[in-house]
Amino acid sequence: MAPIQDKNFLDFCGKSLIERQIELIKSACEGEIVIVYGSHNMDKVNMTASKYKNVSVVEQKNLDEGMCGAILACEKIIGKEPVLIFSGNDVVERHALELVLKDKDKQADSLIIGKKVNKYFPGGYLEVDKNGWIKNIIEKPDEGKEPSDMINLVVHLHKNSSALIANLKKVSSKNDDKYEVALLNMIKSGVKMKAIKYDGVWMPIKFPWHIHDAFRYFFSKEKKVISKKSIISKNAVIKGDVIICDNVKVMDGAFINGPCYIGEGSVIATNALVRESHIGNSCVIGFSTEVARSYLADNVWTHSNYIGDSIISSNVSFGAGTVTGNLRLDEKNILVDVNGKKFDTNTNKFGLICGKNVRFGINTSIMPGVRVYEDCFIGAGLVIPYDIPKKSYVKGKIELEIKENKSSADMKSRENIKKKL
Amino acid sequence: MAPIQDKNFLDFCGKSLIERQIELIKSACEGEIVIVYGSHNMDKVNMTASKYKNVSVVEQKNLDEGMCGAILACEKIIGKEPVLIFSGNDVVERHALELVLKDKDKQADSLIIGKKVNKYFPGGYLEVDKNGWIKNIIEKPDEGKEPSDMINLVVHLHKNSSALIANLKKVSSKNDDKYEVALLNMIKSGVKMKAIKYDGVWMPIKFPWHIHDAFRYFFSKEKKVISKKSIISKNAVIKGDVIICDNVKVMDGAFINGPCYIGEGSVIATNALVRESHIGNSCVIGFSTEVARSYLADNVWTHSNYIGDSIISSNVSFGAGTVTGNLRLDEKNILVDVNGKKFDTNTNKFGLICGKNVRFGINTSIMPGVRVYEDCFIGAGLVIPYDIPKKSYVKGKIELEIKENKSSADMKSRENIKKKL
Amino acid sequence: MAPIQDKNFLDFCGKSLIERQIELIKSACEGEIVIVYGSHNMDKVNMTASKYKNVSVVEQKNLDEGMCGAILACEKIIGKEPVLIFSGNDVVERHALELVLKDKDKQADSLIIGKKVNKYFPGGYLEVDKNGWIKNIIEKPDEGKEPSDMINLVVHLHKNSSALIANLKKVSSKNDDKYEVALLNMIKSGVKMKAIKYDGVWMPIKFPWHIHDAFRYFFSKEKKVISKKSIISKNAVIKGDVIICDNVKVMDGAFINGPCYIGEGSVIATNALVRESHIGNSCVIGFSTEVARSYLADNVWTHSNYIGDSIISSNVSFGAGTVTGNLRLDEKNILVDVNGKKFDTNTNKFGLICGKNVRFGINTSIMPGVRVYEDCFIGAGLVIPYDIPKKSYVKGKIELEIKENKSSADMKSRENIKKKL
């Protein structure tokens, strides 16, 4: 997800992903929620948890231990109660949780959501017998060799927590798949795990471009309100579904084409066009800017830009005339550099991924799929064709040739031009 | 005309030049029309001819033989019938054809249109006696030495086709002026050719910049209609004479200042301004683009561009921020490179001439009078100062200097800026 | 002030600074006005003076002699009459003049305006005794060591001109401070000079950025009128205080946010935004241009530009996409090069200072605080990071890499894009 920092705290329509997940669980069931988190953002997680009743936080010391480590980290809290394992990075509908929570089958020791897929997906497939009991979980089978149409989705209810924990402790895999290995061991030893097919929304937030889909999904669930504390000019045009928060100012000649979320205190200035985008709090979408299909966090400033199919973190500004390219000349899929390898985004429309605290100069051109990491200053009039590491100051080589001007600035032709205006 | 391909098939207001010429002739007279064409576009010519009654096509094998070769190629079809010779590259009024067709003077063997000129033009002048009989045709006399105010315009009616063909066969000039030489030989041998003065429209389509004039002329002849099948936003402003075809979409905040033709299925997007321009079919004039005094063929996509005084072939797109320069800094006439020599366009406002299937990146600057040939990709952030040959991929040299950023992105001053918005 | 030529002839709302100063004096008192001027602009000064009664002009041969030389240059005209010394470069309210002119204190030989300052200013402070008599004038004391809160402002009434002139002739300083030395000598010799505290407007016009303040001040004093001879489109939006002169054209979709002055014959085109700015006569603010907090003299042409916090002399044009940067990436104060040294403008929002007769190409980026001197041509697609001397022709180094294009321009994806428009 780099340079996007901690996706769990990405705000969607004024609420962070982690808050949305807590509220999802609370809407589906009662009981204690334990968030297992790494040390890096403990303050923020604790603050978030404290807003809710019955939500506690446990630190996972070694993140390499994956889900297994996470569950063992809260062994004492779980005790012997049934436990629902849920990954905060998967966006699902409440229904997915209800399917496992409300299942009455007393034979089942564990209930596992199998997300129905209609085409091949490189995930873990559930192999089931004719009664729906899981026999195996097959990671990334070759296409055509899938044992079912169900992907293992981490919405797992384990009634016998003690057995789960005992099995987790026994696994000695060196990979981060200890949890999955433990599940398989449990199946082998006779624990009955039932697959429940789920055909609803599932959006893993794994790559930055998933943020766009998540916005659209969360937006669709929100009530569409234009705050009475916002100022909408008579000469502005608003169409489609929009949420406009308190103290937003939409100026003369601004256009908003929904679905759009405009966060608190943001300004949509004269001749700006915002369409199908998420604008966080305290942003300024300046004169003659187009923001299309993009996610902007808080305090993003634009001015006569085109921001298309991009993800922009907070406290970023763009000088006038700076443009995010979002379509290759050959219109092929946009490739993003992931650990030195080109990764296909599976879309031919994708722009910039920008970390926080970045300043762009004027008239700069950013190529599709480029990542600019946090704390960078990018100069004026540049072409940025590759990723820029964090804390960079980027300039071009300026070589001006200054000669004597032997012509003079004539106004002759201008009277004719003006007559036609 | 390069990189404009086959001007005869340029569409003006939904109808190609060749169709317009066929219909012009049909409106002036009955009879058989023979189109003489080179082999390169035979399919298209045949398809066009097939739309009309009494129109046939003959291939001219050797285009170097010029008009003489063209006439001899259809010797058999002409037979002994009177023949009207007309050049498809000259835009004239129907009246020019009627002048020769309806002349009742039985003494005249041939009738030749003499286009009245008010100032010197480097063409073939008709020298006539006091009764109007042509004595000579003088090619490009020096200025001040013109024998009359009449230019030989290829609207020629020959009543005695056999004599014409016989004379054409006798001529042995090595130049492409065999037809003119044959006419002079006929005059010398006593054939009576009468000059008929014509004071109407005459526009040779010889250079790309002639396309602008042709558009204005053809547009002026068309009925001005806004299709009921178009969608015009309430917040769009349309002024002056316009033709808007079926399925056109004119979005909020778009401006169209006539004379303008907007072809079928084209979109004029928010904050775009189109003035005095021809927009072909299926074009998208994107957000905040200005198209001024330009000819766009089909499938041209713009996005936050300025396209001024330009000719753009079909399937061309411009990245955001890309600009066609159309005025020199010294405001002198725009020069175009024609076969390695600078050719004066006689106007100081002229932009880009672009072939088909071209893609421009973002924030690129194209200098006035540049030609970009077909099938090119032009990168981002470039300055294009000279012609680009076909099938080129053009990039700049990118040298970024990346240092450590020792400053940080301050938001201090922004609160003050925002207060004023 | 370079490259701004002769600030006295800068027009503010249709009237030059010098005219405004003459009219200020005339509104405060009767009597003869003598303008002392250098030889460089004598014609213009004489022409200006001739518009008024009782205004004459005297040439000061040696401008190095400063104020002393100026007063001595009009010794004969002054004779033995009381004389009011006033600097044309200080913008003050009429009240400042009235304070010295209407003072009835017969004991005072001279009356000196002491501008009240609320914080330290590096000027000449008046040291006074308890009765208000000036004992000394202390140039730039260290901060905290100011003898009073009164700055010596050159609004000085001397009743005994003969004494003043005699003293001026005696001073032998080699600096340009002879006038101040003479005043001190007079005080020492018993001439009674009274300080009169003045708490009104005082704006020295010393640096280009002072022009913005001067515009705002003069604008505030003018009657706000929209001429009936202007053409304001129904689809234009005008807000705040504006003055719009004869023959101005405000086109569809143009926005003017006051305070704004739009001079005679200027055009504000479609989608342009002018805010808090002075636009001189015969300017064209072209399509999609934003002019913010800027001073434009006459005949300035813009086209899809951002002109922010800038000072533009007459006969200047900007190609489409050219932008004046007006905020550093680090948001620190803008520095201007003054005689090779960086001078702090004390503001972090400052753009371009441009001399007259300059042409900018398309898509060029000008860094904040840059000065472009008169008679320059600046090419396309450049970044201008430093001052450009007069009569320069500035180009970049263009190195295009032209390879064979092995891709082709696909239209596949465009149908999908278009569906969404």
Side-chain angles (χ1 to χ4, degrees):
Chain A
M1 288 288 292
I4 308 301
Q5 294 187 333
D6 204 343
K7 56 194 169 187
N8 298 294
F9 288 97
L10 276 178
D11 277 346
F12 292 98
C13 307
K15 201 172 273 185
S16 67
L17 178 58
I18 196 169
E19 288 170 323
R20 291 188 170 276
Q21 299 288 40
I22 292 168
E23 294 177 14
L24 179 81
I25 297 166
K26 282 190 164 290
S27 74
C29 62
E30 296 189 343
E32 178 89 10
I33 297 176
V34 186
I35 304 168
V36 187
Y37 222 84
S39 61
H40 57 294
N41 250 342
M42 263 300 152
D43 289 352
K44 283 175 87 173
V45 186
N46 280 318
M47 207 183 310
T48 301
S50 70
K51 293 186 199 168
Y52 299 92
K53 280 189 184 166
N54 298 328
V55 178
S56 59
V57 183
V58 162
E59 186 182 327
Q60 179 173 1
K61 301 289 182 193
N62 185 354
L63 293 177
D64 295 340
E65 298 278 329
M67 196 123 50
C68 170
I71 297 167
L72 292 178
C74 38
E75 178 185 353
K76 284 178 191 165
I77 299 172
I78 295 171
K80 295 184 174 182
E81 297 292 312
V83 63
L84 176 73
I85 311 293
F86 178 58
S87 160
N89 297 331
D90 288 317
V91 174
V92 300
E93 292 177 274
R94 185 173 61 195
H95 186 56
L97 280 66
E98 287 171 346
L99 281 174
V100 298
L101 288 162
K102 297 189 175 163
D103 189 275
K104 302 292 183 196
D105 190 338
K106 288 190 177 165
Q107 287 196 313
D109 298 308
S110 294
L111 296 153
I112 305 284
I113 285 291
K115 162 63 188 162
K116 185 177 189 299
V117 290
N118 297 315
K119 58 175 190 176
Y120 180 74
F121 178 91
Y125 280 80
L126 301 180
E127 185 181 340
V128 293
D129 67 16
K130 59 185 176 178
N131 297 314
W133 299 111
I134 297 171
K135 297 176 63 184
N136 202 354
I137 302 174
I138 297 167
E139 281 302 318
K140 295 184 196 169
D142 288 341
E143 195 168 350
K145 301 211 167 161
E146 305 92 322
S148 72
D149 62 351
M150 286 187 286
I151 292 282
N152 171 24
L153 179 53
V154 187
V155 180
H156 296 177
L157 183 72
H158 299 290
K159 296 179 186 170
N160 187 346
S161 302
S162 309
L164 173 66
I165 284 169
N167 271 282
L168 286 172
K169 287 184 176 171
K170 275 189 285 184
V171 175
S172 64
S173 165
K174 284 187 176 169
N175 302 328
D176 65 351
D177 65 350
K178 284 185 178 176
Y179 175 68
E180 289 75 13
V181 172
L183 291 194
L184 290 177
N185 289 343
M186 287 166 80
I187 290 169
K188 280 178 203 160
S189 71
V191 172
K192 299 198 80 169
M193 297 197 182
K194 186 174 167 186
I196 306 184
K197 195 176 280 191
Y198 162 72
D199 197 12
V201 166
W202 170 51
M203 287 185 281
I205 303 190
K206 197 170 171 192
F207 294 110
W209 42 95
H210 293 151
I211 292 172
H212 294 310
D213 297 329
F215 159 59
R216 283 175 169 268
Y217 174 69
F218 290 131
F219 182 85
S220 74
K221 299 290 180 185
E222 295 284 324
K223 201 178 158 193
K224 309 305 177 290
V225 183
I226 296 181
S227 163
K228 286 179 182 167
K229 288 186 188 163
S230 65
I231 303 171
I232 316 282
S233 153
K234 272 193 315 191
N235 298 299
V237 178
I238 296 175
K239 290 191 172 170
D241 282 342
V242 296
I243 299 173
I244 295 183
C245 297
D246 291 354
N247 302 316
V248 163
K249 203 168 168 183
V250 182
M251 297 172 77
D252 293 313
F255 299 86
I256 301 176
N257 292 353
C260 278
Y261 174 86
I262 315 290
E264 203 179 320
S266 285
V267 176
I268 313 298
T270 298
N271 280 354
L273 168 62
V274 178
R275 50 194 184 102
E276 299 169 57
S277 291
H278 177 284
I279 309 293
N281 299 330
S282 299
C283 291
V284 176
I285 307 304
F287 177 75
S288 205
T289 294
E290 181 179 4
V291 178
R293 298 172 306 275
S294 291
Y295 175 93
L296 279 58
D298 301 337
N299 284 301
V300 175
W301 288 59
T302 76
H303 191 197
S304 300
N305 308 112
Y306 174 59
I307 310 292
D309 303 284
S310 296
I311 312 283
I312 314 295
S313 301
S314 62
N315 189 18
V316 170
S317 79
F318 295 87
T322 286
V323 169
T324 62
N326 64 333
L327 183 63
R328 292 164 53 116
L329 295 178
D330 61 9
E331 296 182 17
K332 289 191 178 146
N333 280 353
I334 307 297
L335 305 177
V336 169
D337 192 271
V338 175
N339 302 323
K341 284 182 190 158
K342 290 294 173 191
F343 189 90
D344 190 336
T345 61
N346 271 314
T347 168
N348 72 346
K349 279 254 176 176
F350 194 68
L352 167 68
I353 314 170
C354 185
K356 63 182 187 174
N357 307 326
V358 171
R359 297 283 175 269
F360 291 92
I362 54 178
N363 276 336
T364 277
S365 306
I366 306 144
M367 295 298 95
V370 159
R371 295 172 183 228
V372 173
Y373 285 73
E374 60 270 24
D375 300 316
C376 285
F377 282 8
I378 312 287
L382 304 176
V383 174
I384 306 294
Y386 42 68
D387 291 1
I388 302 296
K390 72 177 177 181
K391 250 189 137 25
S392 296
Y393 187 101
V394 183
K395 296 205 305 181
K397 206 170 160 184
I398 297 176
E399 289 178 279
L400 300 179
E401 184 188 291
I402 306 188
K403 294 190 298 193
E404 192 195 339
N405 182 13
K406 289 177 179 164
S407 299
S408 67
D410 206 341
M411 291 296 293
K412 254 190 319 215
S413 66
R414 300 202 168 241
E415 278 315 301
N416 285 324
I417 300 170
K418 224 170 124 186
K419 266 178 216 153
K420 294 183 195 165
L421 290 176
Chain B
M1 287 289 294
I4 308 300
Q5 293 186 334
D6 204 343
K7 56 194 168 188
N8 297 295
F9 288 98
L10 276 178
D11 277 346
F12 292 99
C13 307
K15 200 171 273 184
S16 66
L17 178 57
I18 195 168
E19 287 170 324
R20 290 187 171 276
Q21 299 289 39
I22 291 169
E23 293 176 15
L24 179 81
I25 297 167
K26 283 192 163 287
S27 73
C29 61
E30 297 188 343
E32 178 88 11
I33 297 176
V34 186
I35 304 168
V36 187
Y37 223 84
S39 61
H40 56 294
N41 250 343
M42 263 302 153
D43 289 352
K44 283 175 88 173
V45 186
N46 279 320
M47 206 185 309
T48 301
S50 69
K51 293 187 200 168
Y52 299 93
K53 282 190 183 164
N54 298 327
V55 178
S56 58
V57 183
V58 162
E59 186 182 326
Q60 178 173 0
K61 302 288 182 194
N62 185 355
L63 293 176
D64 295 340
E65 297 279 329
M67 196 124 49
C68 170
I71 296 167
L72 291 178
C74 40
E75 179 185 352
K76 283 177 190 162
I77 299 172
I78 295 171
K80 293 184 177 183
E81 296 293 312
V83 61
L84 176 73
I85 312 292
F86 177 58
S87 161
N89 298 330
D90 288 316
V91 174
V92 300
E93 292 177 274
R94 182 173 64 195
H95 185 56
L97 279 67
E98 288 172 343
L99 281 174
V100 298
L101 289 163
K102 296 191 175 162
D103 190 276
K104 302 292 184 196
D105 190 337
K106 290 192 176 161
Q107 288 194 315
D109 297 307
S110 296
L111 296 154
I112 306 283
I113 285 292
K115 163 63 188 162
K116 187 176 187 299
V117 289
N118 297 316
K119 57 175 190 175
Y120 179 75
F121 178 91
Y125 281 81
L126 301 179
E127 185 180 340
V128 293
D129 68 15
K130 60 184 175 180
N131 296 315
W133 300 110
I134 297 171
K135 297 175 63 184
N136 203 352
I137 302 175
I138 298 167
E139 280 302 318
K140 295 184 196 169
D142 288 341
E143 195 169 350
K145 300 210 167 162
E146 305 93 322
S148 72
D149 62 350
M150 286 187 288
I151 292 282
N152 172 24
L153 179 54
V154 186
V155 180
H156 294 178
L157 182 72
H158 299 290
K159 296 180 186 169
N160 186 345
S161 301
S162 309
L164 173 66
I165 285 169
N167 270 281
L168 287 172
K169 288 183 174 172
K170 274 189 288 185
V171 174
S172 65
S173 165
K174 285 186 176 168
N175 302 329
D176 66 349
D177 65 349
K178 283 185 178 175
Y179 174 67
E180 289 75 12
V181 172
L183 291 195
L184 289 177
N185 289 343
M186 287 166 80
I187 290 168
K188 277 178 204 156
S189 71
V191 173
K192 298 198 82 170
M193 297 199 181
K194 186 174 164 186
I196 305 185
K197 193 175 282 189
Y198 163 70
D199 197 11
V201 166
W202 171 50
M203 287 184 282
I205 303 191
K206 196 170 170 191
F207 294 110
W209 41 98
H210 293 152
I211 292 171
H212 294 310
D213 297 329
F215 160 59
R216 283 175 169 267
Y217 174 69
F218 290 131
F219 182 85
S220 74
K221 299 290 179 186
E222 295 285 324
K223 202 178 158 192
K224 309 306 177 291
V225 183
I226 296 180
S227 163
K228 285 180 184 167
K229 289 186 187 164
S230 65
I231 303 171
I232 316 283
S233 153
K234 271 192 317 191
N235 298 299
V237 178
I238 296 176
K239 289 190 173 171
D241 283 343
V242 296
I243 298 172
I244 294 183
C245 298
D246 290 355
N247 303 317
V248 163
K249 202 167 167 186
V250 182
M251 297 173 77
D252 293 314
F255 299 86
I256 300 176
N257 291 353
C260 278
Y261 174 87
I262 315 290
E264 202 178 320
S266 286
V267 176
I268 313 298
T270 298
N271 280 353
L273 167 63
V274 178
R275 51 193 183 102
E276 300 170 55
S277 291
H278 177 285
I279 309 293
N281 300 330
S282 299
C283 291
V284 175
I285 307 305
F287 177 75
S288 205
T289 294
E290 180 179 4
V291 178
R293 297 173 307 274
S294 291
Y295 175 93
L296 279 58
D298 300 338
N299 284 302
V300 175
W301 287 58
T302 75
H303 191 197
S304 299
N305 308 112
Y306 174 59
I307 310 292
D309 303 284
S310 295
I311 313 283
I312 314 296
S313 300
S314 62
N315 188 18
V316 170
S317 81
F318 295 88
T322 285
V323 169
T324 61
N326 64 334
L327 183 63
R328 292 164 53 115
L329 295 177
D330 61 10
E331 297 181 17
K332 288 190 178 147
N333 280 353
I334 307 299
L335 305 177
V336 169
D337 192 90
V338 176
N339 302 323
K341 281 181 192 160
K342 289 294 171 190
F343 189 89
D344 190 336
T345 62
N346 271 315
T347 169
N348 73 347
K349 279 254 175 176
F350 194 69
L352 166 68
I353 313 171
C354 185
K356 62 183 188 174
N357 307 327
V358 172
R359 296 283 176 268
F360 291 92
I362 55 179
N363 275 336
T364 277
S365 306
I366 307 144
M367 294 298 96
V370 159
R371 295 172 184 229
V372 173
Y373 285 74
E374 60 271 23
D375 299 315
C376 285
F377 283 6
I378 312 288
L382 303 177
V383 174
I384 306 294
Y386 42 67
D387 291 1
I388 303 296
K390 71 178 178 182
K391 248 185 139 27
S392 296
Y393 187 100
V394 183
K395 296 205 305 181
K397 206 170 159 183
I398 297 176
E399 290 178 279
L400 299 179
E401 185 187 291
I402 305 188
K403 294 190 299 193
E404 191 196 339
N405 184 14
K406 290 178 177 164
S407 299
S408 67
D410 205 341
M411 292 296 294
K412 254 189 322 211
S413 66
R414 301 203 167 238
E415 279 314 301
N416 286 323
I417 300 170
K418 224 171 125 184
K419 267 177 214 153
K420 294 182 194 164
L421 289 175
Chain C
M1 287 288 294
I4 308 302
Q5 294 185 334
D6 204 343
K7 57 194 168 188
N8 297 294
F9 288 98
L10 276 178
D11 278 347
F12 292 99
C13 307
K15 200 172 274 184
S16 67
L17 178 58
I18 196 170
E19 287 171 323
R20 290 187 171 275
Q21 298 289 40
I22 292 170
E23 293 176 15
L24 179 80
I25 298 167
K26 282 189 164 293
S27 74
C29 62
E30 298 189 340
E32 178 88 10
I33 297 176
V34 187
I35 304 167
V36 188
Y37 223 84
S39 60
H40 56 294
N41 250 342
M42 263 301 152
D43 289 352
K44 282 176 88 172
V45 185
N46 279 319
M47 207 184 309
T48 301
S50 70
K51 293 187 200 167
Y52 299 92
K53 282 190 184 164
N54 300 325
V55 178
S56 59
V57 183
V58 162
E59 185 182 328
Q60 179 174 1
K61 302 289 182 191
N62 184 354
L63 292 176
D64 293 340
E65 296 279 328
M67 196 125 51
C68 170
I71 297 167
L72 291 179
C74 38
E75 178 185 354
K76 283 176 191 166
I77 299 172
I78 296 171
K80 295 184 174 183
E81 296 293 313
V83 62
L84 176 73
I85 312 293
F86 178 58
S87 161
N89 298 332
D90 288 317
V91 174
V92 300
E93 292 177 274
R94 184 172 64 194
H95 185 57
L97 280 66
E98 287 172 347
L99 281 174
V100 297
L101 288 162
K102 295 188 175 165
D103 189 275
K104 302 294 183 192
D105 190 338
K106 289 189 177 167
Q107 286 196 314
D109 297 308
S110 295
L111 296 153
I112 305 286
I113 285 292
K115 163 61 188 164
K116 187 177 188 298
V117 289
N118 297 316
K119 57 176 191 176
Y120 180 74
F121 179 91
Y125 280 79
L126 301 180
E127 184 180 342
V128 294
D129 68 15
K130 60 185 175 179
N131 295 315
W133 299 112
I134 296 170
K135 295 177 64 185
N136 203 352
I137 302 174
I138 297 166
E139 281 302 319
K140 296 184 196 169
D142 288 342
E143 195 169 349
K145 299 211 167 163
E146 306 93 322
S148 72
D149 62 351
M150 287 187 287
I151 292 281
N152 172 25
L153 179 54
V154 187
V155 180
H156 295 176
L157 182 72
H158 298 291
K159 295 178 185 171
N160 186 345
S161 302
S162 309
L164 173 67
I165 286 169
N167 270 281
L168 287 171
K169 287 183 175 171
K170 274 189 289 186
V171 175
S172 63
S173 164
K174 283 186 176 171
N175 301 329
D176 66 349
D177 65 349
K178 283 184 178 178
Y179 175 68
E180 288 75 11
V181 172
L183 290 194
L184 290 177
N185 290 342
M186 287 165 79
I187 290 168
K188 278 178 201 159
S189 70
V191 172
K192 299 199 80 170
M193 298 198 180
K194 188 175 165 184
I196 305 184
K197 193 175 282 189
Y198 164 71
D199 198 11
V201 167
W202 170 51
M203 288 185 281
I205 302 189
K206 198 170 167 190
F207 293 110
W209 43 95
H210 293 150
I211 292 171
H212 294 309
D213 297 328
F215 159 60
R216 283 176 169 266
Y217 174 69
F218 290 131
F219 181 85
S220 74
K221 298 291 179 184
E222 295 284 323
K223 202 178 158 191
K224 309 307 176 289
V225 183
I226 296 180
S227 163
K228 286 180 182 165
K229 289 186 187 163
S230 64
I231 303 170
I232 316 283
S233 153
K234 274 194 311 194
N235 297 300
V237 178
I238 296 175
K239 289 191 173 171
D241 283 342
V242 296
I243 299 172
I244 294 182
C245 298
D246 291 355
N247 303 317
V248 163
K249 202 167 167 184
V250 182
M251 297 172 77
D252 292 314
F255 299 86
I256 301 177
N257 291 353
C260 278
Y261 174 87
I262 315 290
E264 203 178 321
S266 286
V267 175
I268 314 299
T270 298
N271 281 353
L273 167 63
V274 179
R275 50 193 184 102
E276 300 170 57
S277 291
H278 177 283
I279 309 293
N281 300 330
S282 300
C283 291
V284 175
I285 307 306
F287 177 75
S288 204
T289 294
E290 180 180 5
V291 178
R293 299 171 306 275
S294 290
Y295 175 95
L296 279 58
D298 301 336
N299 285 301
V300 175
W301 288 59
T302 75
H303 191 196
S304 299
N305 309 111
Y306 174 59
I307 309 292
D309 303 284
S310 296
I311 314 282
I312 314 295
S313 300
S314 61
N315 189 18
V316 169
S317 80
F318 295 87
T322 286
V323 168
T324 62
N326 64 334
L327 183 63
R328 293 164 53 115
L329 295 177
D330 61 9
E331 297 182 17
K332 288 190 179 147
N333 281 352
I334 308 297
L335 305 178
V336 170
D337 192 271
V338 175
N339 302 322
K341 283 182 190 157
K342 290 294 173 191
F343 189 90
D344 189 337
T345 62
N346 272 312
T347 169
N348 72 348
K349 279 255 176 176
F350 194 69
L352 166 68
I353 314 170
C354 185
K356 62 182 187 174
N357 307 326
V358 172
R359 296 283 175 269
F360 290 92
I362 55 179
N363 275 337
T364 277
S365 306
I366 307 145
M367 295 296 96
V370 159
R371 295 171 184 229
V372 173
Y373 285 73
E374 60 270 23
D375 300 316
C376 285
F377 283 7
I378 312 289
L382 304 176
V383 174
I384 306 292
Y386 42 67
D387 291 0
I388 302 295
K390 71 177 177 182
K391 249 186 138 28
S392 296
Y393 188 101
V394 182
K395 297 204 304 182
K397 208 171 159 184
I398 297 176
E399 290 178 278
L400 300 179
E401 184 187 292
I402 305 188
K403 293 190 299 193
E404 192 196 338
N405 183 13
K406 290 177 176 163
S407 299
S408 67
D410 205 342
M411 291 295 294
K412 255 189 319 212
S413 67
R414 301 200 168 243
E415 279 314 302
N416 286 323
I417 300 169
K418 224 171 125 184
K419 268 178 214 152
K420 295 184 193 162
L421 290 175

